[in-house]
Amino acid sequence: MIWLLRICFSRTITGKNACATGLLLVLPGLVLASSVSGRVDLVFSRDPNVRKHMDYSGVVVWLEPLEAPVSLPAKTPHAEMVQKGKTFSPHVLAITLGTTVNFPNFDPIFHNAFSNYDGQIFDIGLYPPGTTRAIGFRREGVVRVFCNIHPSMSAVIVVLKSPYFSVSDKNGSFQIPGVQPGSYRIHVFHERATEQTLAALSRSIEIVEERVQLPPISVSESGYLQLPHTNKYGKDYPPGSDTRGYAGTQP
């Protein structure tokens, strides 16, 4: 049996569509799960971590099945976003639809994670050090997470219908294991890229090989503007909020 590997780019440097085709001999009845890997880099960035330290982490790459829908886990999966040092960790978290995310507070101060932007709206309320709260994510999309007490705290949760995803590491590398042969569309998310930039990076791919190495993906941060956010009540944070604790606790 001959399988066809065909990767199509919706846009190239020349501005024209381009496709690469290859043939692979596969024994009848043999279905191999593939490992899809690649690398991203960030260009036109103003972020010091990118410009000085070449940190290309936090880019989400996922595969959307174009044929039969893929079954998500029957049991509710769990993930974790830690609050420590007045920081959410990981800063970018990718999960499947239906996942419950725990928000443990490892700081000696109170926190209040919330989101009232695009994606699933939630507010887990004020809770003390050494405790945790959890939220189940039932809506696909990008969830921007903040703390109602400390405006410098922010994170992103990307909720996906597909189990085939990865988040790039510092070097920009990513790997998506266990992908079944078939037709997919590649999507990319980066918090400092415009919707138009991300849409242009989408491409179609047919996976048949056991290992697939994607061409490099270059994500432009051109046009990104970082705007201040409000607290969960839609109001500005009080001056000096990041230097304070809450209710008599120590910062």
Side-chain angles (χ1 to χ4, degrees):
M1 180 181 297
I2 301 295
W3 288 87
L4 177 68
L5 174 65
R6 186 173 179 83
I7 304 177
C8 295
F9 298 83
S10 59
R11 182 171 298 179
T12 64
I13 295 176
T14 63
K16 299 179 180 179
N17 293 337
C19 295
T21 304
L23 296 178
L24 177 68
L25 177 63
V26 180
L27 295 177
L30 181 61
V31 179
L32 299 175
S34 299
S35 174
V36 179
S37 57
R39 184 180 182 278
V40 300
D41 61 36
L42 303 175
V43 297
F44 304 117
S45 177
R46 299 177 182 177
D47 188 282
N49 286 327
V50 177
R51 296 174 67 89
K52 296 181 180 180
H53 306 295
M54 308 294 286
D55 186 348
Y56 301 142
S57 62
V59 179
V60 183
V61 181
W62 73 96
L63 303 178
E64 173 195 5
L66 297 180
E67 298 170 343
V70 178
S71 299
L72 297 178
K75 294 184 179 181
T76 301
H78 286 258
E80 188 173 76
M81 179 170 278
V82 170
Q83 297 163 99
K84 186 175 182 180
K86 295 182 182 177
T87 302
F88 289 110
S89 182
H91 179 69
V92 177
L93 176 66
I95 60 174
T96 54
L97 191 67
T99 298
T100 294
V101 177
N102 297 317
F103 292 86
N105 180 5
F106 293 159
D107 274 333
I109 54 177
F110 282 66
H111 284 304
N112 181 178
F114 77 96
S115 179
N116 56 9
Y117 289 72
D118 294 340
Q120 182 167 322
I121 296 174
F122 71 92
D123 175 12
I124 55 180
L126 190 69
Y127 58 108
T131 62
T132 188
R133 297 289 187 273
I135 291 290
F137 287 85
R138 308 289 185 262
R139 179 180 176 184
E140 182 185 18
V142 176
V143 182
R144 298 185 182 270
V145 184
F146 302 100
C147 177
N148 193 53
I149 305 169
H150 308 103
S152 64
M153 294 179 63
S154 68
V156 178
I157 299 175
V158 182
V159 186
L160 305 168
K161 285 185 178 179
S162 171
Y164 305 131
F165 61 84
S166 181
V167 181
S168 65
D169 61 18
K170 184 180 184 298
N171 295 323
S173 300
F174 65 87
Q175 184 175 29
I176 307 174
V179 181
Q180 297 300 313
S183 299
Y184 296 88
R185 190 156 191 84
I186 300 175
H187 296 280
V188 178
F189 171 81
H190 175 48
E191 64 177 323
R192 295 191 302 275
T194 65
E195 292 184 5
Q196 293 81 1
T197 295
L198 297 176
L201 293 173
S202 181
R203 66 194 71 169
S204 61
I205 178 175
E206 292 186 22
I207 297 178
V208 296
E209 294 180 327
E210 187 175 356
R211 291 181 178 85
V212 176
Q213 181 72 32
L214 298 177
I217 301 173
S218 183
V219 183
S220 173
E221 295 187 19
S222 177
Y224 167 74
L225 295 175
Q226 185 173 4
L227 300 175
H229 65 89
T230 58
N231 64 19
K232 67 180 183 181
Y233 303 110
K235 299 183 180 299
D236 293 335
Y237 287 80
S241 296
D242 278 318
T243 62
R244 302 175 182 175
Y246 189 87
T249 60
Q250 295 297 316

